[in-house]
Amino acid sequence: MCRSIKTLRPPVTPEVQDEDIRAAALQYVRKVSGFRAPAAHNREAFDRAVEEVAQATARLLEHLEVRGATRPAA
């Protein structure tokens, strides 16, 4: 669906930063909404969706268990 969203899980991407997660969330929301930048009256909903998708993505990556990959020490 969004070819510009890269895989963020280890070992494909060893070090994922918050910026990477937010960029992927932004691309997803842009694709789903059909807007590159929302109009002023849609800005709050757009920004909230980006934040929620970013949080869900961070939780997913935190809980994924990839066989054969070592998990960083907490």
Side-chain angles (χ1 to χ4, degrees), residues 10-30:
V12 178
T13 306
E15 293 186 31
V16 177
Q17 305 295 320
D18 290 340
E19 299 84 39
D20 299 317
I21 292 172
R22 188 173 191 300
L26 178 59
Q27 285 300 104
Y28 176 80
V29 172
R30 284 176 172 169

Side-chain angles (χ1 to χ4, degrees), residues 6 9-10 17 40 73:
K6 65 181 182 175
R9 68 165 174 78
Q17 305 295 320

